[in-house]
Amino acid sequence: MLINERKDNLINELTSSDRWVKPACPFCGLPIARPTEQSLRRPLEMPVGSCNCGAVYAYDATGHNLGSAFSEALVFACNMDWDLAWNLLPGEDYCEDLLEKYDIQSHYIIPAGSYEGRRISGALYFIRMHNDIQEVVWPGVQEKLAKARSKTVSQPAAVRQNKGLRLNKQEIAALVENYQLEPLLETATHDNTIISCLQRMLYTGDELLRLKTADALGRVCAAIAKYNPALVSRLLQRLFTSITDAGYGTSNWGAIDAIGEVIANSPDEFSGYLPFLFKILEIDDSNFRPTALRALGVIARVRPDLITKTISYFVKFACLDDPQTRGNAVWLIKHLATPNSRPGSTETRAALKAIRGDQRLINIYEKGVFEQSSIGQLATQALARLE
């Protein structure tokens, strides 16, 4: 009898409101379901969910990436419409709230912050669109969630390491400099720590080495994405953050080129990040713009169908006087002008014809070397493909 009484007291203690709290929507108070991952690999790497009242939430396992959780919840609430998401205003277009100390394994809020020896620091970031926007996006959100697969509550499988060839930092640097990529790709199949080393190498002031590194990183990420795509998505998020946080600093050197190479080498998995490149393109900065055009050109070279902007959109950049901006814009237009693309508009063709006399040279990276071409030559090639 005494044992049963103690057992009941223990159960009551463990399930009392100060130890376990069933998660509920902060907007309507209804219970919510466990967050789920999307079945298709998209730039949403955090599990997401929705409430019947129209709120959407994203799960941050650490509680330290709330900025990313906010972004993912906001974009998912917009039915993956990135342009819509970044043009909305808090308070005016949507409400936001946060639930902390959430444990996805038990699906409870643990106010004490620990359970069974585990530290509980997860968070659910909530976004609820105002009614006029929600009416438009909600059906698509529900359709995506219906196809979602449940997030596993077990720890992710250990990355396959210590098997086969492993390389130290000096060996990786030498292989990149000599453009010997096969050993890097072999290592990437079982050792994903190579990503960190290559990312650090992006900060070199040597432009050719920087582009070789971005090239290698894109190929390595394609190999790693086959068994750990989340790791590659986190890399992309870090690269974008390095651009937005560093502003005009040098710590973003190589980041934009690396983003282009990663998407180009795994377009089906990571093409959802393309809208971020378009945002960078609109930044009025001579450092960002030509590099963003080059990154888009790298992607267009393998998958021109992924570039949702029309050719005429890029003509305004080709008309700028800066040689790198103009040259990279024309190089991008050349790759967009496929045999299956629509003929260029009269204005597009006229702009390219006006550029044909530009004899300034630019460097075009190709498989570990720079090839020089005049802007006029590129314009002539683009015109030939358009006509």
Side-chain angles (χ1 to χ4, degrees):
M1 189 73 175
L2 182 59
I3 293 176
N4 289 336
E5 183 179 347
R6 287 178 177 173
K7 182 178 179 183
D8 290 340
N9 290 337
L10 180 60
I11 292 173
N12 289 334
E13 180 186 354
L14 289 175
T15 57
S16 63
S17 60
D18 64 333
R19 294 296 301 270
W20 291 56
V21 180
K22 195 69 175 175
C25 175
F27 299 115
C28 70
L30 292 174
I32 59 171
R34 192 192 308 272
T36 57
E37 288 181 343
Q38 293 303 287
S39 56
L40 296 176
R41 183 58 56 179
R42 305 294 292 270
L44 287 182
E45 288 304 324
M46 292 180 176
V48 292
S50 72
C51 175
N52 289 335
C53 74
V56 164
Y57 47 93
Y59 168 63
D60 170 20
T62 67
H64 299 303
N65 297 316
L66 296 180
S68 296
F70 161 75
S71 299
E72 303 216 342
L74 179 64
V75 171
F76 193 71
C78 291
N79 192 28
M80 303 303 294
D81 187 333
W82 298 85
D83 290 331
L84 171 63
W86 302 129
N87 284 289
L88 298 180
L89 297 175
E92 185 175 323
D93 298 307
Y94 62 86
C95 301
E96 54 188 310
D97 212 327
L98 183 69
L99 289 182
E100 297 181 287
K101 306 296 185 184
Y102 172 73
D103 177 32
I104 197 169
Q105 295 193 30
S106 65
H107 188 48
Y108 273 95
I109 303 294
I110 313 292
S114 63
Y115 172 64
E116 293 183 340
R118 292 186 294 110
R119 184 168 177 266
I120 307 300
S121 55
L124 296 174
Y125 208 116
F126 284 76
I127 297 287
R128 191 184 188 281
M129 293 294 166
H130 289 181
N131 291 339
D132 54 340
I133 301 175
Q134 190 176 127
E135 289 176 1
V136 176
V137 299
W138 189 244
V141 170
Q142 290 302 291
E143 182 181 353
K144 287 179 173 62
L145 283 170
K147 296 178 180 178
R149 58 181 173 83
S150 294
K151 177 177 175 64
T152 178
V153 298
S154 61
Q155 294 296 318
V159 178
R160 294 169 291 175
Q161 297 197 19
N162 301 318
K163 297 179 181 179
L165 177 66
R166 297 201 61 166
L167 301 169
N168 60 39
K169 291 186 292 185
Q170 292 75 21
E171 290 170 331
I172 292 172
L175 288 168
V176 172
E177 189 166 2
N178 294 315
Y179 201 67
Q180 297 175 347
L181 303 187
E182 285 305 318
L184 300 177
L185 299 179
E186 181 185 346
T187 300
T189 61
H190 55 266
D191 181 10
N192 60 36
T193 60
I194 191 174
I195 281 183
S196 298
C197 182
L198 289 171
Q199 185 183 359
R200 287 192 293 269
M201 289 177 61
L202 289 172
Y203 304 145
T204 176
D206 184 329
E207 185 182 22
L208 179 58
L209 179 58
R210 197 161 63 235
L211 290 171
K212 286 181 183 179
T213 303
D215 183 355
L217 187 58
R219 295 168 187 257
V220 161
C221 284
I224 293 173
K226 293 178 181 177
Y227 64 89
N228 195 343
L231 185 67
V232 180
S233 280
R234 288 195 292 272
L235 168 69
L236 286 168
Q237 291 165 4
R238 289 197 303 272
L239 292 173
F240 277 112
T241 299
S242 74
I243 297 164
T244 56
D245 287 354
Y248 295 87
T250 59
S251 62
N252 57 52
W253 281 359
I256 298 175
D257 287 305
I259 290 166
E261 291 286 357
V262 171
I263 296 174
N265 280 276
S266 305
D268 293 331
E269 290 83 358
F270 305 113
S271 61
Y273 284 97
L274 267 168
F276 285 117
L277 283 177
F278 290 125
K279 291 291 183 183
I280 294 172
L281 188 61
E282 293 294 343
I283 298 174
D284 187 16
D285 176 67
S286 59
N287 292 321
F288 289 153
R289 184 170 284 160
T291 312
L293 288 165
R294 179 166 60 196
L296 288 167
V298 168
I299 298 167
R301 186 167 51 184
V302 294
R303 287 289 300 275
D305 58 299
L306 295 179
I307 309 298
T308 55
K309 304 289 187 182
T310 62
I311 289 177
S312 59
Y313 168 82
F314 298 104
V315 171
K316 62 184 179 182
F317 302 113
C319 293
L320 297 175
D321 187 58
D322 174 66
Q324 290 300 319
T325 301
R326 174 180 290 186
N328 288 343
V330 176
W331 185 66
L332 167 58
I333 291 171
K334 169 188 168 182
H335 291 303
L336 291 176
T338 64
N340 295 326
S341 64
R342 294 180 180 179
S345 67
T346 302
E347 292 79 7
T348 298
R349 291 196 296 273
L352 290 173
K353 287 177 181 177
I355 297 171
R356 285 184 300 181
D358 192 335
Q359 297 305 308
R360 289 178 294 179
L361 299 175
I362 66 166
N363 288 324
I364 298 174
Y365 175 81
E366 184 71 33
K367 295 182 179 179
V369 298
F370 274 142
E371 297 179 355
Q372 283 196 328
S373 177
S374 73
I375 296 173
Q377 287 175 320
L378 294 173
T380 299
Q381 293 167 3
L383 274 169
R385 299 188 71 171
L386 280 171
E387 297 177 344

